[in-house]
Amino acid sequence: MRNALLFFFTLILAAVSATAQNAEFTGDVRDVRVVRSVEQHPGASLLWEPYIAEWKPKQLVVAYGAGIPGKTDMGDIVASVSTNDGDTWSEPAIVFDHNQRFGAMQFGYSNAVLYKPPGQDVMWCFAMRCPMNYQHSEDSQLVGAFSADGGRSWTPVEMAMHYTGPLIIVGGIQRIVENGQPRYLLPAHRNTRRNDPLGSRDQFMLSSTSLLEWRLAGHIPQPESGPVFLHEGNLAPGDAEGELKLVMRTATWEEKAALDPPRAFSSVSQDGGRTWTPARQEPDLWNARSKGFFGQSTNGTHLYVYNDGPAMPKPGARTSLRYKLQPTSGGAWSAEKTFYDSGTHNSYPTLIEIAPSEFRAVWDSGTKEHPRTNIRFGKFHVSSEAK
């Protein structure tokens, strides 16, 4: 009898907790949960830039960064697992540890990107590593690890890189098929101008047939109207058959402010990411120097999730998350809708589709005063009718 009562009260407490979490915000995301908070990572200064992938039905993996105090965006990469569709999350496993030395070298890590190849019982985590003496991760190299047990343990693997320059990754991998064989595309950009006035700011595409070796596929040309800092692009199928579309975060070329007006830019490729059209403004897609998620559901609807929007009093504050839908390829985008707004800091959304029009989402969240103090998860349904 005692065990039955304890089980009953546990269910009541769980229901109250879930209701309280969902009552704290407005928006169309649902079943919001905290995956992890900074207090659960002793010594970490922030939790940031999560990425989500599905291992099997109802089993999800979220990888994110736990920041080193004194560094802008460098730390460890860890991964947490849910076996009940995001309701609860495990203690995290270390993917990349900044305390581990490689001879005389020691690295900080950032920007996890998860990917599970269809039909394979392996999940990959790609990230960036940067020498620990650097202040930030703008001059990083690609690093990878794989898990064969659904994200509970990870084995680092050295990439065979035919692209040898610094890079930054944020967007996910897009799988295409050429001549019956899979080919994987990973958006990346370079920002060596932050520390070197003769450096460059370029958005480009990496390509692989194995996920172990990576080559430069092609660069995204600058807009014909003049240079823009194009970065953090998200790749998805485009409007036409066989087309790929990259939607990018933007800033002024000097990296000092948002564009005026604050707009995302896009580029398309018709040849598997080898050549791209000059980047052009997306008049309906807001971007004020923060990552926006761009993807496509199986029903063909394009989805764009982004920070703030025209109605916000301080564009670029990275508080609310908004979204738009484009239900018809090449058609009009919907009016702005609220994804998540709790009066706190929220940024860097990533979504995956686990069933037709049904998505799972993660983002880094915070308090009213402090950004990036926890990682949040939620469920989201893409309506077939956008207005």
Side-chain angles (χ1 to χ4, degrees), residues 30-271:
R30 66 187 194 279
D31 297 336
V32 174
R33 299 288 186 269
V34 174
V35 176
R36 203 74 175 168
S37 63
V38 72
E39 293 81 11
Q40 295 171 292
H41 288 267
S45 57
L46 75 163
L47 304 184
W48 88 107
E49 294 192 8
Y51 205 98
I52 187 169
E54 183 183 43
W55 175 251
K56 60 183 180 181
K58 295 188 180 300
Q59 184 165 322
L60 304 168
V61 182
V62 169
Y64 57 93
I68 303 170
K71 301 294 184 181
T72 303
D73 58 355
M74 297 164 60
D76 299 326
I77 299 296
V78 299
S80 188
V81 175
S82 174
T83 58
N84 52 15
D85 198 20
D87 194 44
T88 58
W89 294 88
S90 71
E91 290 288 319
I94 291 285
V95 185
F96 299 110
D97 183 354
H98 83 275
N99 293 299
Q100 182 179 0
R101 300 188 71 91
F102 295 82
M105 296 294 293
Q106 190 173 355
F107 298 102
Y109 300 88
S110 59
N111 296 19
V113 171
L114 294 175
Y115 181 70
K116 184 180 182 299
Q120 298 185 27
D121 291 329
V122 170
M123 179 176 290
W124 285 90
C125 180
F126 298 97
M128 300 147 46
R129 71 180 178 197
C130 197
M132 275 286 290
N133 61 293
Y134 287 24
Q135 175 64 34
H136 51 70
S137 64
E138 298 294 302
D139 298 277
S140 294
Q141 295 179 330
L142 188 68
V143 63
F146 71 87
S147 173
D149 59 4
R152 295 176 177 85
S153 65
W154 296 86
T155 303
V157 177
E158 287 296 318
M159 302 287 100
M161 294 300 295
H162 302 280
Y163 167 81
T164 58
L167 56 72
I168 302 163
I169 62 169
V170 176
I173 289 173
Q174 182 71 32
R175 179 182 182 270
I176 62 174
V177 177
E178 291 183 337
N179 301 318
Q181 300 298 318
R183 186 162 158 261
Y184 306 95
L185 298 173
L186 174 62
H189 75 274
R190 185 170 54 228
N191 187 23
T192 55
R193 284 181 62 89
R194 181 173 289 189
N195 291 333
D196 180 358
L198 297 181
S200 63
R201 291 192 170 109
D202 300 292
Q203 176 81 57
F204 54 93
M205 195 65 58
L206 298 178
S207 172
S208 176
T209 57
S210 65
L211 295 171
L212 284 169
E213 48 77 35
W214 291 91
R215 302 175 183 273
L216 176 66
H219 284 87
I220 283 68
Q222 282 288 328
E224 296 174 349
S225 57
V228 170
F229 183 22
L230 307 168
H231 54 305
E232 297 188 358
N234 276 226
L235 184 62
D239 296 326
E241 183 70 25
E243 182 179 88
L244 295 167
K245 184 172 184 177
L246 186 71
V247 173
M248 294 162 280
R249 167 182 164 171
T250 59
T252 60
W253 181 248
E254 297 78 14
E255 198 189 2
K256 292 183 178 179
L259 299 180
D260 184 13
R263 294 287 181 266
F265 273 55
S266 68
S267 178
V268 300
S269 173
Q270 302 284 355
D271 60 0

